[in-house]
Amino acid sequence: MVQGSPFTVQKLFMPGTGPRWLPYGVLILIVAAAPLVFSGRMSYYLSILSLAGIYAVVVIGLNMLMGYAGQISLGHAAFFAIGAYTSGILSTRYGLSPILCALPAVAAAGSVAVLIGIPTLKLKEHYLAMATLGFGIIMYTILRADPGSMTGGIQGMPNIPPLQILGHAADSDRAQYTIVWSTVILVFLFSTNILESRFGRALMAIHKSEVCAAVLGINVFGHKLQVFVLSALYAGFAGFLYAHCSPLKYLNPDDVAHVILSIKFVTMVVIGGMGNRWGALCGAVGLTVLPEVLRLMSSLLHGISSTDIEMACYGLILIMVMILSTRTRKRLLPIPAENTLTQHPIRQ
Amino acid sequence: MALLVVSNLTKNFDGITAVSKVSFSVAQSEIFAIIGPNGAGKTTTFNLVSGVLAPDCGEIFFRGERISGLKPHEIALRGMVRTFQTISLFDTMTVLDNVKVGCHGQARTHIFSAAFRTRAFFEEEVRMTRTALETLRLLGLERRAHEMVGNLPFGQQRLVDIARALAGEPVLLLLDEPAAGMNARERSELMAIIRTLKQRGMTIVLIEHDMDLIMEIAERIIVLDHGEKIAEGKPEEIQRNPDVIAAYLGEA
Ligand SMILES: Nc1ncnc2c1ncn2[C@@H]1O[C@H](COP(=O)(O)OP(=O)(O)O)[C@@H](O)[C@H]1O
Ligand SMILES: [Mg+2]
């Protein structure tokens, strides 16, 4: 029996039938409610949530690469930085309208990913980790050294124009929050659609056994490259958002290209339970909010720097996740693994 | 013209010769068996034919085309699919999803159709689901389609493994010890399935340890020992062959 297979508008973004739209409804409600809670003097917190949303875009993409296809990248901050700096340079030095910078930012990150991916994706596990780590460090060094006097080096790149929407500059915390989180929801649904298809199943097959996937007719290298580039496109897009949709209006290699940021992204994927899309979203928000919580508490800590504690927290979280996942194979967050469910248009 | 022609196939693993100058050919719709003691080089032969390993020497032709040197997925897309001696199912997926992975090669739509949920995407997803369910029905497994594959008993997992390979609609199916770990009833079911597949025009090459099963079902057999082909013929010829008897006695 074929059930509701014809194309409908509702299915454009809603892959699930039955009660599976519920989590999306809850997500949209929370996203819509936040500006009401954090209004007036509290609107500073919206800018932190915007940053969380920007990181979430990276993490959603990285989760496809790590959680689904089982390939690790310790260099994703580099793609984030490529997106951010491409957009920053085009809008400040060449006067391009910020909204038009999105495409070149994403394209630049994607092209570099193709060049990096072709040699490195032939490598296995920790070699791939080392290669992507090396790439991240090279990118960071280039941005600091600023060979063509384009990036501003360690001084950074100030005065990046905000997005213009319908003639209005999206300058307030609230406007930026709205833009970022609308995009996050779209990106999230998009990714769900991409993963709940033969592409997602092929990635999971590659994760389990490359040889087995290959003899079933799956082009293993081709799929690895596709998902690597896709995740870099996400990171590049997030970089574009960071350049024009955060209150700083300022880019600096330490903020967007540092190895610590790459490791932060990986931690966000891991804490959410690899291959869990909702977990990835929660991981991104949780770990972005964490330093703010620590900063609020720093008056209680008498002299210990909150960034030191932040780093210690990451270490602790990673160790906990590793222990929990090897001992009990349970996820840290009690969210069901979603990669086991793909849609079947035919029901018996 | 034979469907599969293997000539002079040789593979060395640092020092030992796993497969040595093996030649054979398989005709369309034939049930062809490769037997031999443990370590004779049967699995290695499969690895070479399916492109998982590159041969040191020798050539392989499939449907008249030289396939030695092609990647495993390229060979699979030309209509040759294999199973492994140890079951390698995707244990984070349901039975149906496992079999749908096998349909991958038949599908044509890309990421963008999936992202935008186009009509073509839905049509193809329906087609894949239907193929997968039909394949499961053929193997008597359609009632377990929505279960996690790890919850099935061992014998049925073997059948899911075969179903996944069949979902790619291969011309030639290579089965590496498909009856290993099956009970008597499951074995007879497996034989019935193999016969059905042959009737539908499929060609099957199988490696098997169970002599009764082989003698009953195979039309032609080659025997490998220490990487070399020591005999070839019909089941009754193989049973009488003194070299074969010696090789198997040597193992026992
Ligand atoms: N990947 C490998 N590396 C090294 N030696 C191998 C490898 N695969 C198989 N061999 C060796 O090749 C010989 C043949 O193995 P195999 O083809 O698995 O035998 P069979 O399937 O007939 O039992 C054995 O001696 C085995 O140890
Ligand atoms: Mg074997």
PDB file of all heavy atoms in Angstrom, chain A residues 2 7 11-12 193 196 198 201 205 208 212 214-215 218 226 340 342 344, chain B residues 73 76 88-89 92 97 100 104 107 109 111 115-117 125 130 164:
ATOM      1  N   VAL A   2       0.591   2.120  -0.898  1.00  0.00           N
ATOM      2  CA  VAL A   2       1.379   3.336  -0.965  1.00  0.00           C
ATOM      3  C   VAL A   2       0.681   4.408  -0.147  1.00  0.00           C
ATOM      4  O   VAL A   2      -0.515   4.643  -0.293  1.00  0.00           O
ATOM      5  CB  VAL A   2       1.540   3.808  -2.426  1.00  0.00           C
ATOM      6  CG1 VAL A   2       2.391   5.058  -2.478  1.00  0.00           C
ATOM      7  CG2 VAL A   2       2.156   2.715  -3.250  1.00  0.00           C
ATOM      8  N   PHE A   7       3.935  14.434  -3.883  1.00  0.00           N
ATOM      9  CA  PHE A   7       4.568  15.623  -3.345  1.00  0.00           C
ATOM     10  C   PHE A   7       3.528  16.580  -2.783  1.00  0.00           C
ATOM     11  O   PHE A   7       2.523  16.858  -3.408  1.00  0.00           O
ATOM     12  CB  PHE A   7       5.343  16.283  -4.476  1.00  0.00           C
ATOM     13  CG  PHE A   7       5.898  17.619  -4.126  1.00  0.00           C
ATOM     14  CD1 PHE A   7       7.042  17.700  -3.366  1.00  0.00           C
ATOM     15  CD2 PHE A   7       5.281  18.768  -4.547  1.00  0.00           C
ATOM     16  CE1 PHE A   7       7.566  18.916  -3.044  1.00  0.00           C
ATOM     17  CE2 PHE A   7       5.796  19.992  -4.226  1.00  0.00           C
ATOM     18  CZ  PHE A   7       6.945  20.078  -3.473  1.00  0.00           C
ATOM     19  N   LYS A  11       5.296  18.455   2.821  1.00  0.00           N
ATOM     20  CA  LYS A  11       6.419  17.533   2.840  1.00  0.00           C
ATOM     21  C   LYS A  11       7.718  18.177   2.383  1.00  0.00           C
ATOM     22  O   LYS A  11       8.768  17.542   2.441  1.00  0.00           O
ATOM     23  CB  LYS A  11       6.111  16.324   1.963  1.00  0.00           C
ATOM     24  CG  LYS A  11       5.326  15.290   2.743  1.00  0.00           C
ATOM     25  CD  LYS A  11       5.110  14.045   1.942  1.00  0.00           C
ATOM     26  CE  LYS A  11       4.568  12.962   2.856  1.00  0.00           C
ATOM     27  NZ  LYS A  11       3.973  11.889   2.089  1.00  0.00           N
ATOM     28  N   LEU A  12       7.617  19.407   1.908  1.00  0.00           N
ATOM     29  CA  LEU A  12       8.829  20.088   1.465  1.00  0.00           C
ATOM     30  C   LEU A  12       9.870  20.071   2.570  1.00  0.00           C
ATOM     31  O   LEU A  12      11.028  19.755   2.350  1.00  0.00           O
ATOM     32  CB  LEU A  12       8.481  21.530   1.073  1.00  0.00           C
ATOM     33  CG  LEU A  12       9.638  22.382   0.583  1.00  0.00           C
ATOM     34  CD1 LEU A  12      10.219  21.807  -0.692  1.00  0.00           C
ATOM     35  CD2 LEU A  12       9.164  23.801   0.334  1.00  0.00           C
ATOM     36  N   ASN A 193      16.107  16.194   5.919  1.00  0.00           N
ATOM     37  CA  ASN A 193      15.690  15.672   4.615  1.00  0.00           C
ATOM     38  C   ASN A 193      16.839  14.987   3.889  1.00  0.00           C
ATOM     39  O   ASN A 193      16.665  13.949   3.265  1.00  0.00           O
ATOM     40  CB  ASN A 193      15.157  16.813   3.748  1.00  0.00           C
ATOM     41  CG  ASN A 193      13.735  17.190   4.120  1.00  0.00           C
ATOM     42  OD1 ASN A 193      13.119  16.536   4.956  1.00  0.00           O
ATOM     43  ND2 ASN A 193      13.226  18.242   3.516  1.00  0.00           N
ATOM     44  N   GLU A 196      17.633  11.606   5.762  1.00  0.00           N
ATOM     45  CA  GLU A 196      16.616  10.567   5.650  1.00  0.00           C
ATOM     46  C   GLU A 196      16.398  10.239   4.180  1.00  0.00           C
ATOM     47  O   GLU A 196      15.345  10.504   3.609  1.00  0.00           O
ATOM     48  CB  GLU A 196      15.318  11.015   6.322  1.00  0.00           C
ATOM     49  CG  GLU A 196      15.478  11.104   7.821  1.00  0.00           C
ATOM     50  CD  GLU A 196      14.165  11.196   8.568  1.00  0.00           C
ATOM     51  OE1 GLU A 196      13.128  11.450   7.928  1.00  0.00           O
ATOM     52  OE2 GLU A 196      14.185  11.016   9.787  1.00  0.00           O
ATOM     53  N   ARG A 198      18.609   7.895   0.686  1.00  0.00           N
ATOM     54  CA  ARG A 198      19.634   6.884   0.421  1.00  0.00           C
ATOM     55  C   ARG A 198      21.025   7.431   0.720  1.00  0.00           C
ATOM     56  O   ARG A 198      21.937   6.681   1.052  1.00  0.00           O
ATOM     57  CB  ARG A 198      19.546   6.377  -1.013  1.00  0.00           C
ATOM     58  CG  ARG A 198      20.022   7.358  -2.061  1.00  0.00           C
ATOM     59  CD  ARG A 198      19.857   6.763  -3.452  1.00  0.00           C
ATOM     60  NE  ARG A 198      20.310   7.707  -4.452  1.00  0.00           N
ATOM     61  CZ  ARG A 198      21.311   7.482  -5.286  1.00  0.00           C
ATOM     62  NH1 ARG A 198      21.969   6.348  -5.253  1.00  0.00           N
ATOM     63  NH2 ARG A 198      21.670   8.386  -6.168  1.00  0.00           N
ATOM     64  N   ARG A 201      21.562   6.804   4.415  1.00  0.00           N
ATOM     65  CA  ARG A 201      21.773   5.363   4.641  1.00  0.00           C
ATOM     66  C   ARG A 201      23.163   4.950   4.158  1.00  0.00           C
ATOM     67  O   ARG A 201      23.839   4.146   4.801  1.00  0.00           O
ATOM     68  CB  ARG A 201      20.697   4.539   3.911  1.00  0.00           C
ATOM     69  CG  ARG A 201      19.312   4.680   4.507  1.00  0.00           C
ATOM     70  CD  ARG A 201      18.341   3.659   3.924  1.00  0.00           C
ATOM     71  NE  ARG A 201      18.031   3.901   2.531  1.00  0.00           N
ATOM     72  CZ  ARG A 201      17.008   4.652   2.109  1.00  0.00           C
ATOM     73  NH1 ARG A 201      16.202   5.218   2.982  1.00  0.00           N
ATOM     74  NH2 ARG A 201      16.797   4.833   0.820  1.00  0.00           N
ATOM     75  N   ALA A 205      26.176   3.244   6.259  1.00  0.00           N
ATOM     76  CA  ALA A 205      26.794   2.002   5.793  1.00  0.00           C
ATOM     77  C   ALA A 205      28.318   2.144   5.771  1.00  0.00           C
ATOM     78  O   ALA A 205      29.049   1.253   6.209  1.00  0.00           O
ATOM     79  CB  ALA A 205      26.267   1.643   4.399  1.00  0.00           C
ATOM     80  N   LYS A 208      29.789   1.910   9.195  1.00  0.00           N
ATOM     81  CA  LYS A 208      29.880   0.536   9.727  1.00  0.00           C
ATOM     82  C   LYS A 208      30.993  -0.245   9.035  1.00  0.00           C
ATOM     83  O   LYS A 208      31.815  -0.874   9.684  1.00  0.00           O
ATOM     84  CB  LYS A 208      28.525  -0.171   9.548  1.00  0.00           C
ATOM     85  CG  LYS A 208      28.488  -1.616  10.001  1.00  0.00           C
ATOM     86  CD  LYS A 208      28.372  -1.703  11.507  1.00  0.00           C
ATOM     87  CE  LYS A 208      28.975  -2.943  12.116  1.00  0.00           C
ATOM     88  NZ  LYS A 208      28.378  -4.200  11.847  1.00  0.00           N
ATOM     89  N   CYS A 212      32.099  -3.292   2.928  1.00  0.00           N
ATOM     90  CA  CYS A 212      30.757  -3.811   2.736  1.00  0.00           C
ATOM     91  C   CYS A 212      29.918  -2.818   1.925  1.00  0.00           C
ATOM     92  O   CYS A 212      29.189  -3.208   1.015  1.00  0.00           O
ATOM     93  CB  CYS A 212      30.147  -4.068   4.103  1.00  0.00           C
ATOM     94  SG  CYS A 212      28.601  -4.893   4.030  1.00  0.00           S
ATOM     95  N   ALA A 214      31.023  -0.683  -0.200  1.00  0.00           N
ATOM     96  CA  ALA A 214      31.543  -0.633  -1.570  1.00  0.00           C
ATOM     97  C   ALA A 214      31.027  -1.792  -2.414  1.00  0.00           C
ATOM     98  O   ALA A 214      30.605  -1.591  -3.552  1.00  0.00           O
ATOM     99  CB  ALA A 214      33.073  -0.637  -1.547  1.00  0.00           C
ATOM    100  N   VAL A 215      31.017  -2.998  -1.861  1.00  0.00           N
ATOM    101  CA  VAL A 215      30.585  -4.132  -2.696  1.00  0.00           C
ATOM    102  C   VAL A 215      29.076  -4.111  -2.937  1.00  0.00           C
ATOM    103  O   VAL A 215      28.570  -4.848  -3.781  1.00  0.00           O
ATOM    104  CB  VAL A 215      31.007  -5.505  -2.124  1.00  0.00           C
ATOM    105  CG1 VAL A 215      32.508  -5.599  -1.996  1.00  0.00           C
ATOM    106  CG2 VAL A 215      30.324  -5.796  -0.810  1.00  0.00           C
ATOM    107  N   ILE A 218      28.134   1.246  -3.377  1.00  0.00           N
ATOM    108  CA  ILE A 218      28.253   2.619  -2.878  1.00  0.00           C
ATOM    109  C   ILE A 218      29.663   3.136  -3.160  1.00  0.00           C
ATOM    110  O   ILE A 218      30.650   2.496  -2.795  1.00  0.00           O
ATOM    111  CB  ILE A 218      27.953   2.675  -1.365  1.00  0.00           C
ATOM    112  CG1 ILE A 218      26.475   2.325  -1.127  1.00  0.00           C
ATOM    113  CG2 ILE A 218      28.273   4.051  -0.792  1.00  0.00           C
ATOM    114  CD1 ILE A 218      26.124   2.100   0.320  1.00  0.00           C
ATOM    115  N   GLN A 226      31.590  14.075  -0.639  1.00  0.00           N
ATOM    116  CA  GLN A 226      30.351  14.861  -0.649  1.00  0.00           C
ATOM    117  C   GLN A 226      29.989  15.355   0.741  1.00  0.00           C
ATOM    118  O   GLN A 226      29.644  16.526   0.931  1.00  0.00           O
ATOM    119  CB  GLN A 226      29.192  14.011  -1.182  1.00  0.00           C
ATOM    120  CG  GLN A 226      29.072  14.011  -2.687  1.00  0.00           C
ATOM    121  CD  GLN A 226      27.788  13.306  -3.124  1.00  0.00           C
ATOM    122  OE1 GLN A 226      26.691  13.728  -2.799  1.00  0.00           O
ATOM    123  NE2 GLN A 226      27.942  12.223  -3.857  1.00  0.00           N
ATOM    124  N   THR A 340      18.422   5.839  13.394  1.00  0.00           N
ATOM    125  CA  THR A 340      17.880   4.511  13.139  1.00  0.00           C
ATOM    126  C   THR A 340      16.555   4.595  12.400  1.00  0.00           C
ATOM    127  O   THR A 340      16.023   3.606  11.950  1.00  0.00           O
ATOM    128  CB  THR A 340      17.636   3.780  14.462  1.00  0.00           C
ATOM    129  OG1 THR A 340      16.764   4.565  15.246  1.00  0.00           O
ATOM    130  CG2 THR A 340      18.930   3.556  15.204  1.00  0.00           C
ATOM    131  N   THR A 342      14.442   5.957   9.346  1.00  0.00           N
ATOM    132  CA  THR A 342      14.252   6.716   8.119  1.00  0.00           C
ATOM    133  C   THR A 342      12.857   6.415   7.628  1.00  0.00           C
ATOM    134  O   THR A 342      12.245   5.423   8.003  1.00  0.00           O
ATOM    135  CB  THR A 342      15.285   6.383   7.045  1.00  0.00           C
ATOM    136  OG1 THR A 342      15.290   4.984   6.863  1.00  0.00           O
ATOM    137  CG2 THR A 342      16.664   6.859   7.436  1.00  0.00           C
ATOM    138  N   HIS A 344       9.645   5.416   5.570  1.00  0.00           N
ATOM    139  CA  HIS A 344       9.289   4.398   4.590  1.00  0.00           C
ATOM    140  C   HIS A 344       7.948   4.749   4.008  1.00  0.00           C
ATOM    141  O   HIS A 344       6.933   4.624   4.677  1.00  0.00           O
ATOM    142  CB  HIS A 344       9.224   3.033   5.249  1.00  0.00           C
ATOM    143  CG  HIS A 344      10.490   2.717   5.955  1.00  0.00           C
ATOM    144  ND1 HIS A 344      11.672   2.565   5.292  1.00  0.00           N
ATOM    145  CD2 HIS A 344      10.758   2.578   7.259  1.00  0.00           C
ATOM    146  CE1 HIS A 344      12.619   2.337   6.176  1.00  0.00           C
ATOM    147  NE2 HIS A 344      12.103   2.340   7.369  1.00  0.00           N
TER     148      HIS A 344
ATOM    149  N   HIS B  73      32.810  -0.822  -6.031  1.00  0.00           N
ATOM    150  CA  HIS B  73      31.460  -0.322  -6.330  1.00  0.00           C
ATOM    151  C   HIS B  73      31.200  -0.289  -7.829  1.00  0.00           C
ATOM    152  O   HIS B  73      30.064  -0.460  -8.274  1.00  0.00           O
ATOM    153  CB  HIS B  73      31.216   1.041  -5.681  1.00  0.00           C
ATOM    154  CG  HIS B  73      31.894   2.189  -6.349  1.00  0.00           C
ATOM    155  ND1 HIS B  73      33.142   2.629  -5.987  1.00  0.00           N
ATOM    156  CD2 HIS B  73      31.500   2.990  -7.368  1.00  0.00           C
ATOM    157  CE1 HIS B  73      33.478   3.655  -6.748  1.00  0.00           C
ATOM    158  NE2 HIS B  73      32.505   3.894  -7.595  1.00  0.00           N
ATOM    159  N   ALA B  76      30.185  -3.766  -8.625  1.00  0.00           N
ATOM    160  CA  ALA B  76      28.821  -4.012  -8.132  1.00  0.00           C
ATOM    161  C   ALA B  76      27.790  -3.390  -9.067  1.00  0.00           C
ATOM    162  O   ALA B  76      26.770  -4.003  -9.382  1.00  0.00           O
ATOM    163  CB  ALA B  76      28.666  -3.442  -6.721  1.00  0.00           C
ATOM    164  N   SER B  88      27.959  -8.981   7.847  1.00  0.00           N
ATOM    165  CA  SER B  88      28.322  -7.593   8.148  1.00  0.00           C
ATOM    166  C   SER B  88      27.128  -6.694   7.885  1.00  0.00           C
ATOM    167  O   SER B  88      27.139  -5.885   6.976  1.00  0.00           O
ATOM    168  CB  SER B  88      29.527  -7.171   7.318  1.00  0.00           C
ATOM    169  OG  SER B  88      29.288  -7.485   5.970  1.00  0.00           O
ATOM    170  N   LEU B  89      26.101  -6.876   8.687  1.00  0.00           N
ATOM    171  CA  LEU B  89      24.905  -6.040   8.547  1.00  0.00           C
ATOM    172  C   LEU B  89      25.120  -4.709   9.254  1.00  0.00           C
ATOM    173  O   LEU B  89      25.999  -4.586  10.104  1.00  0.00           O
ATOM    174  CB  LEU B  89      23.700  -6.773   9.142  1.00  0.00           C
ATOM    175  CG  LEU B  89      23.270  -8.018   8.365  1.00  0.00           C
ATOM    176  CD1 LEU B  89      22.245  -8.810   9.136  1.00  0.00           C
ATOM    177  CD2 LEU B  89      22.726  -7.641   6.990  1.00  0.00           C
ATOM    178  N   THR B  92      22.837  -0.502  13.190  1.00  0.00           N
ATOM    179  CA  THR B  92      22.060   0.629  13.689  1.00  0.00           C
ATOM    180  C   THR B  92      20.790   0.844  12.860  1.00  0.00           C
ATOM    181  O   THR B  92      20.066   1.804  13.080  1.00  0.00           O
ATOM    182  CB  THR B  92      22.881   1.938  13.638  1.00  0.00           C
ATOM    183  OG1 THR B  92      23.360   2.109  12.297  1.00  0.00           O
ATOM    184  CG2 THR B  92      24.054   1.900  14.595  1.00  0.00           C
ATOM    185  N   ASP B  97      15.818  -1.062   6.166  1.00  0.00           N
ATOM    186  CA  ASP B  97      16.839  -0.084   5.782  1.00  0.00           C
ATOM    187  C   ASP B  97      18.109  -0.774   5.294  1.00  0.00           C
ATOM    188  O   ASP B  97      18.743  -0.328   4.340  1.00  0.00           O
ATOM    189  CB  ASP B  97      17.172   0.840   6.960  1.00  0.00           C
ATOM    190  CG  ASP B  97      16.234   2.035   7.022  1.00  0.00           C
ATOM    191  OD1 ASP B  97      15.457   2.204   6.065  1.00  0.00           O
ATOM    192  OD2 ASP B  97      16.285   2.788   7.999  1.00  0.00           O
ATOM    193  N   LYS B 100      17.426  -1.725   1.883  1.00  0.00           N
ATOM    194  CA  LYS B 100      17.366  -0.537   1.013  1.00  0.00           C
ATOM    195  C   LYS B 100      18.764  -0.006   0.674  1.00  0.00           C
ATOM    196  O   LYS B 100      18.949   0.586  -0.388  1.00  0.00           O
ATOM    197  CB  LYS B 100      16.511   0.562   1.654  1.00  0.00           C
ATOM    198  CG  LYS B 100      15.012   0.301   1.455  1.00  0.00           C
ATOM    199  CD  LYS B 100      14.157   1.213   2.284  1.00  0.00           C
ATOM    200  CE  LYS B 100      13.894   2.534   1.599  1.00  0.00           C
ATOM    201  NZ  LYS B 100      12.934   3.364   2.367  1.00  0.00           N
ATOM    202  N   HIS B 104      20.815   0.947  -3.347  1.00  0.00           N
ATOM    203  CA  HIS B 104      21.481   2.225  -3.598  1.00  0.00           C
ATOM    204  C   HIS B 104      21.892   2.411  -5.060  1.00  0.00           C
ATOM    205  O   HIS B 104      21.664   3.457  -5.658  1.00  0.00           O
ATOM    206  CB  HIS B 104      22.707   2.335  -2.690  1.00  0.00           C
ATOM    207  CG  HIS B 104      23.379   3.667  -2.743  1.00  0.00           C
ATOM    208  ND1 HIS B 104      23.048   4.692  -1.895  1.00  0.00           N
ATOM    209  CD2 HIS B 104      24.346   4.148  -3.549  1.00  0.00           C
ATOM    210  CE1 HIS B 104      23.781   5.742  -2.185  1.00  0.00           C
ATOM    211  NE2 HIS B 104      24.581   5.443  -3.175  1.00  0.00           N
ATOM    212  N   ALA B 107      19.344   3.557  -7.651  1.00  0.00           N
ATOM    213  CA  ALA B 107      18.701   4.858  -7.499  1.00  0.00           C
ATOM    214  C   ALA B 107      19.463   5.927  -8.274  1.00  0.00           C
ATOM    215  O   ALA B 107      20.665   5.820  -8.493  1.00  0.00           O
ATOM    216  CB  ALA B 107      18.617   5.226  -6.024  1.00  0.00           C
ATOM    217  N   THR B 109      18.318   9.639  -7.979  1.00  0.00           N
ATOM    218  CA  THR B 109      18.148  11.008  -7.483  1.00  0.00           C
ATOM    219  C   THR B 109      19.296  11.378  -6.540  1.00  0.00           C
ATOM    220  O   THR B 109      19.925  10.524  -5.930  1.00  0.00           O
ATOM    221  CB  THR B 109      16.826  11.179  -6.716  1.00  0.00           C
ATOM    222  OG1 THR B 109      16.825  10.292  -5.611  1.00  0.00           O
ATOM    223  CG2 THR B 109      15.639  10.913  -7.599  1.00  0.00           C
ATOM    224  N   ILE B 111      21.308  14.406  -3.710  1.00  0.00           N
ATOM    225  CA  ILE B 111      21.080  15.097  -2.443  1.00  0.00           C
ATOM    226  C   ILE B 111      20.020  16.187  -2.578  1.00  0.00           C
ATOM    227  O   ILE B 111      19.199  16.365  -1.701  1.00  0.00           O
ATOM    228  CB  ILE B 111      22.387  15.770  -1.955  1.00  0.00           C
ATOM    229  CG1 ILE B 111      23.440  14.729  -1.630  1.00  0.00           C
ATOM    230  CG2 ILE B 111      22.128  16.598  -0.724  1.00  0.00           C
ATOM    231  CD1 ILE B 111      24.669  15.362  -1.019  1.00  0.00           C
ATOM    232  N   ALA B 115      16.891  16.894  -0.336  1.00  0.00           N
ATOM    233  CA  ALA B 115      16.774  18.093   0.493  1.00  0.00           C
ATOM    234  C   ALA B 115      15.437  18.787   0.267  1.00  0.00           C
ATOM    235  O   ALA B 115      14.803  19.248   1.207  1.00  0.00           O
ATOM    236  CB  ALA B 115      17.924  19.047   0.192  1.00  0.00           C
ATOM    237  N   PHE B 116      14.990  18.847  -0.991  1.00  0.00           N
ATOM    238  CA  PHE B 116      13.741  19.540  -1.304  1.00  0.00           C
ATOM    239  C   PHE B 116      12.564  18.600  -1.403  1.00  0.00           C
ATOM    240  O   PHE B 116      11.461  19.019  -1.736  1.00  0.00           O
ATOM    241  CB  PHE B 116      13.889  20.353  -2.598  1.00  0.00           C
ATOM    242  CG  PHE B 116      14.824  21.513  -2.444  1.00  0.00           C
ATOM    243  CD1 PHE B 116      16.106  21.462  -2.961  1.00  0.00           C
ATOM    244  CD2 PHE B 116      14.422  22.645  -1.759  1.00  0.00           C
ATOM    245  CE1 PHE B 116      16.980  22.526  -2.807  1.00  0.00           C
ATOM    246  CE2 PHE B 116      15.290  23.719  -1.596  1.00  0.00           C
ATOM    247  CZ  PHE B 116      16.566  23.648  -2.117  1.00  0.00           C
ATOM    248  N   ARG B 117      12.799  17.318  -1.114  1.00  0.00           N
ATOM    249  CA  ARG B 117      11.711  16.342  -1.149  1.00  0.00           C
ATOM    250  C   ARG B 117      10.902  16.465  -2.444  1.00  0.00           C
ATOM    251  O   ARG B 117       9.702  16.703  -2.421  1.00  0.00           O
ATOM    252  CB  ARG B 117      10.790  16.517   0.066  1.00  0.00           C
ATOM    253  CG  ARG B 117      11.403  16.050   1.394  1.00  0.00           C
ATOM    254  CD  ARG B 117      11.589  14.552   1.349  1.00  0.00           C
ATOM    255  NE  ARG B 117      11.864  13.930   2.644  1.00  0.00           N
ATOM    256  CZ  ARG B 117      13.055  13.421   2.978  1.00  0.00           C
ATOM    257  NH1 ARG B 117      14.071  13.526   2.160  1.00  0.00           N
ATOM    258  NH2 ARG B 117      13.214  12.803   4.127  1.00  0.00           N
ATOM    259  N   GLU B 125      11.967   6.630  -3.600  1.00  0.00           N
ATOM    260  CA  GLU B 125      11.956   6.032  -2.260  1.00  0.00           C
ATOM    261  C   GLU B 125      10.891   4.930  -2.193  1.00  0.00           C
ATOM    262  O   GLU B 125      11.114   3.866  -1.612  1.00  0.00           O
ATOM    263  CB  GLU B 125      11.692   7.138  -1.226  1.00  0.00           C
ATOM    264  CG  GLU B 125      12.031   6.785   0.199  1.00  0.00           C
ATOM    265  CD  GLU B 125      13.533   6.725   0.482  1.00  0.00           C
ATOM    266  OE1 GLU B 125      14.340   7.154  -0.371  1.00  0.00           O
ATOM    267  OE2 GLU B 125      13.892   6.239   1.554  1.00  0.00           O
ATOM    268  N   ARG B 130       9.629  -0.770  -2.165  1.00  0.00           N
ATOM    269  CA  ARG B 130       8.905  -1.887  -2.759  1.00  0.00           C
ATOM    270  C   ARG B 130       9.864  -3.006  -3.135  1.00  0.00           C
ATOM    271  O   ARG B 130       9.616  -4.169  -2.829  1.00  0.00           O
ATOM    272  CB  ARG B 130       8.144  -1.377  -3.987  1.00  0.00           C
ATOM    273  CG  ARG B 130       7.005  -2.259  -4.372  1.00  0.00           C
ATOM    274  CD  ARG B 130       6.164  -1.611  -5.453  1.00  0.00           C
ATOM    275  NE  ARG B 130       5.175  -0.702  -4.922  1.00  0.00           N
ATOM    276  CZ  ARG B 130       4.719   0.377  -5.575  1.00  0.00           C
ATOM    277  NH1 ARG B 130       5.234   0.692  -6.750  1.00  0.00           N
ATOM    278  NH2 ARG B 130       3.791   1.125  -5.042  1.00  0.00           N
ATOM    279  N   ARG B 164      19.964  -8.200   1.138  1.00  0.00           N
ATOM    280  CA  ARG B 164      20.598  -6.906   0.849  1.00  0.00           C
ATOM    281  C   ARG B 164      21.375  -6.970  -0.462  1.00  0.00           C
ATOM    282  O   ARG B 164      21.339  -6.040  -1.266  1.00  0.00           O
ATOM    283  CB  ARG B 164      21.511  -6.535   2.009  1.00  0.00           C
ATOM    284  CG  ARG B 164      22.007  -5.124   1.980  1.00  0.00           C
ATOM    285  CD  ARG B 164      22.876  -4.838   3.172  1.00  0.00           C
ATOM    286  NE  ARG B 164      24.016  -5.741   3.226  1.00  0.00           N
ATOM    287  CZ  ARG B 164      24.921  -5.761   4.199  1.00  0.00           C
ATOM    288  NH1 ARG B 164      24.795  -4.945   5.214  1.00  0.00           N
ATOM    289  NH2 ARG B 164      25.909  -6.608   4.158  1.00  0.00           N
TER     290      ARG B 164
END
